[in-house]
Every structure is written in C-alpha cells, then in structure tokens.
Amino acid sequence: MAERAPGLPSRPLGRTGIPVSCIGFGTAPLGDLYARLDERTAIDAVATAITLGVTLLDTSPLYGHGLAEHRCGTALRIAGQEGARRDGVVLSTKVGRWMAPREGRGDGSNFAGGLPHRAVVDYSFDGTLRSVEQSLLRLGTDRIEVLLIHDVDVWTHGGQMEQRFREAMEGAYPALHRLRAEGVVKAIGVGVNESAMCARFARAGDFDTMLLAGRYTLLEQAALDEFLPLALEKGIGVMLGGVFNSGVLATGAIPGAKYNYRDAPPEVLDRVRRMEAICAAHAVRLPDAALWFGLAHRAVASVVLGGGSPEEVRRNLSALERPVPAAFWAELRAAGLLRADAPVPA
C-alpha cells in the first residue's frame, strides 16, 4: 500500500470531536450486495480508500452475513503491515443481528453472495454483546470506534417496528451505553433508513451519531423538518448514506436505474431527467451534485459512499475536485427541484 495521501478534508463527528474524513467508505458492496465480488478487488477497494485519505469505514454484520466485516478486517491487517496506523481509522459497525453459523442463510437476504450464516435479528442486551464480540472477531481488531443500532425502522420491520424500538431501547441501547462508559467504544448511535426514526431515537436516548441512509438527498429533504435541526441542537454527528438513492442519482435516468433498491418509478425518473438537464447547462455531473449537496448541511460529518473496486473509490473521491457553481443550485431551486431552506455549498 502506498503512503496515505494527505489533504482529504475531515470534520468532527458531532460533539465527540472525533475527526472523520468528509467522505467515508461504505462497505455494503463488499458483502456481495448486487454481485459476487472478486476477493482481491474487494479488499483492494478498502485499501485504496485508506491510501487516499479516507478515515471512516462503515460496515455491518448484515452485509454479506459477515463477509464485508471479514474483508474490512483483512484490508486493515494488510494496511497495518504496510505502515498505516489502526488508530488513524474510525471503524463503525452495527448491532441488531448476530450470525448463526450452522443454520444456513435461509431466505430473505438481498445479497448475491456472502457467507452461509443465518442473520438472527436480536436487539436484546445479550444479543447486542454477542453481535459486538462476533464483529471484533471478524474484523480482527480489539476495538471499534462507533457502534450503531441497525435498521429499527418501518422499512425493515413493518408492523413489528414498535416492538423492535422497545427492544432496542431496553436492550441494545443500555448495552451500547455501558460499552461507551467503559471506553470500549467512543461513540454510539443508530443507522436507519428513516429520518423520523432518527429524530425519535435522538429524543429517547443519549446518542453521539446517526447514520441516515437515503433520506437526505437531492430527491428527498424531509429530514430538514425535524431530524437535522435536532441533530444540530444535540450535537449529534450525522453520517449520510445513500446520497445517490441507491443508484439513480449516480447513473441518471437510464433504463433499470435503481431507487431505494428497486427500479425507479416514472415520477422519480422524470425528476432526475429535469435535474440532468440543469446539470448539462452548468457542466455539472449529477453524482457530484448529489455528494456536494449532502456535505452542505452543518450537521453532516461525513457522506458515506459505497465502493466495490479501487476505480469506484477513486471516482467517488474525485468529486471533491469539482465544486458545483452557485448558479446550479439557484436554478434547481427556481425549477422547484430543491427546497428553498436546503443548505447548499457556499
């Protein structure tokens, strides 16, 4: 691994003050999310991110049923052998599921590949500690900087969401609170797909950070109503995932473009086409605009971008070299494609 590149901007993770790179590396693709990845390519994607100055790695037991954590751990060990400091990386993973290694994967996984282990949903105190222990073993490390309660939302649990919320606040939250008090982790939070749940958790407990996926983007800004102001009030550092809404804001309105992990509906495709026309008028790439928009809110510490290859990582990071002109944001607003109160880059 080459020496880490200097200069990737960092921001404090809310009130914790932990510095994280403004672009983080999301590892869902490393769990064979849409396709089975070549092992060396997947590991090299992590290594490339670290080499280019990314300090925040976000993973989860769910991603490939443990495979993404294994690949992250391998990349971190290789980086350590080649001189990169482990304490220069902020490692974030999640709780809410542990893996049963002898029960088979079963149905319901959206991952094309991954490990043959069944994911057991468990937000209890003991289940949380089991999840953390398994993650430490897969990652090959003795510490994790950030722990997030994963997927307590309607998107994941439907009509069971209220029950899962109670389980999380009565089980997972006390476990994470204890781990933070003991210095095992530096920051605790939640990782969900709904801004309303972020706000609910923020009011229910003492959280340092939250990962909001897909709900604060060029297509969706409802998080401005409650959650993002609350995050500023409480000093909660926000990590934004899914700023491309799972694909359409990266690919544009092409046939088969994805929105929320499904084929984008006609109304979304139409809205994206209108954005693309404004992009063309200002010589702006749509994915660049999506990234810069996410970074513009003061509560956001890092925009977490997935990547399954070194080339994809480099392409994501290159957006920082292409600032978006003010006239572009003004035209988006004038066209009714962006809320008037949504912050944009200065």
Side-chain angles (χ1 to χ4, degrees):
M1 180 183 298
E3 182 179 353
R4 179 179 294 183
L8 190 63
S10 67
R11 298 177 175 185
L13 187 63
R15 66 190 180 201
T16 70
I18 300 168
V20 294
S21 51
C22 68
I23 298 181
F25 182 74
T27 66
L30 270 59
D32 293 347
L33 177 58
Y34 295 122
R36 294 176 184 269
L37 299 185
D38 171 74
E39 187 80 359
R40 183 71 254 182
T41 300
I43 292 167
D44 283 349
V46 186
T48 298
I50 295 172
T51 297
L52 295 178
V54 173
T55 62
L56 174 64
L57 301 183
D58 178 72
T59 189
S60 169
L62 176 63
Y63 303 158
H65 294 228
L67 180 58
E69 287 188 328
H70 272 296
R71 285 170 164 168
C72 279
T74 299
L76 286 170
R77 287 191 297 278
I78 293 172
Q81 292 168 0
E82 298 184 4
R85 297 181 301 112
R86 167 64 181 84
D87 59 5
V89 174
V90 176
L91 190 56
S92 167
T93 194
K94 304 180 182 75
V95 302
R97 298 175 179 89
W98 50 268
M99 297 299 139
R102 299 189 62 192
E103 296 188 16
R105 258 218 341 218
D107 298 327
S109 174
N110 292 321
F111 291 86
L115 301 181
H117 302 159
R118 185 167 71 89
V120 179
V121 175
D122 188 347
Y123 294 104
S124 70
F125 189 96
D126 289 344
T128 296
L129 295 183
R130 174 185 281 193
S131 175
V132 173
E133 182 177 50
Q134 288 186 348
S135 289
L136 288 167
L137 291 170
R138 283 189 292 264
L139 289 161
T141 187
D142 59 354
R143 64 196 186 279
I144 295 166
E145 282 70 32
V146 179
L147 277 176
L148 307 174
I149 303 172
H150 199 191
D151 282 347
V152 183
D153 50 33
V154 176
W155 171 271
T156 306
H157 297 297
Q160 292 186 312
M161 195 278 291
E162 289 298 326
Q163 174 189 341
R164 296 304 190 189
F165 180 77
R166 288 194 299 272
E167 291 170 356
M169 287 307 301
E170 294 171 3
Y173 173 64
L176 266 57
H177 195 279
R178 191 185 84 178
L179 292 171
R180 181 178 59 184
E182 293 174 349
V184 178
V185 299
K186 294 181 179 179
I188 64 173
V190 300
V192 296
N193 294 284
E194 295 163 10
S195 62
M197 288 308 301
C198 284
R200 186 172 178 183
F201 272 107
R203 297 189 188 283
D206 179 25
F207 293 100
D208 304 299
T209 183
M210 296 192 178
L211 173 57
L212 176 61
R215 301 284 78 81
Y216 188 65
T217 72
L218 284 177
L219 288 170
E220 302 185 38
Q221 293 113 48
L224 289 168
D225 295 334
E226 182 181 13
F227 170 56
L228 289 174
L230 188 60
L232 286 174
E233 176 188 329
K234 291 181 172 289
I236 294 172
V238 176
M239 298 180 282
L240 281 185
V243 295
F244 302 140
N245 282 116
S246 78
V248 68
L249 290 176
T251 63
I254 62 172
K258 300 301 181 185
Y259 171 76
N260 286 351
Y261 306 101
R262 300 181 176 91
D263 287 346
E267 62 271 20
V268 168
L269 292 175
D270 178 67
R271 192 173 182 86
V272 171
R273 288 189 190 99
R274 293 170 63 198
M275 290 181 179
E276 289 183 290
I278 296 173
C279 283
H282 294 273
V284 169
R285 296 175 70 250
L286 181 61
D288 292 353
L291 170 63
W292 279 101
F293 175 73
L295 288 172
H297 199 285
R298 290 191 297 120
V300 174
S302 186
V303 171
V304 179
L305 301 179
S309 69
E311 293 73 25
E312 191 172 357
V313 171
R314 293 188 186 97
R315 184 167 64 249
N316 287 338
L317 295 181
S318 72
L320 292 178
E321 302 169 5
R322 296 184 293 273
V324 178
F328 169 82
W329 304 111
E331 189 167 346
L332 271 191
R333 283 191 173 130
L337 294 172
L338 188 65
R339 280 177 49 158
D341 58 343
V344 296

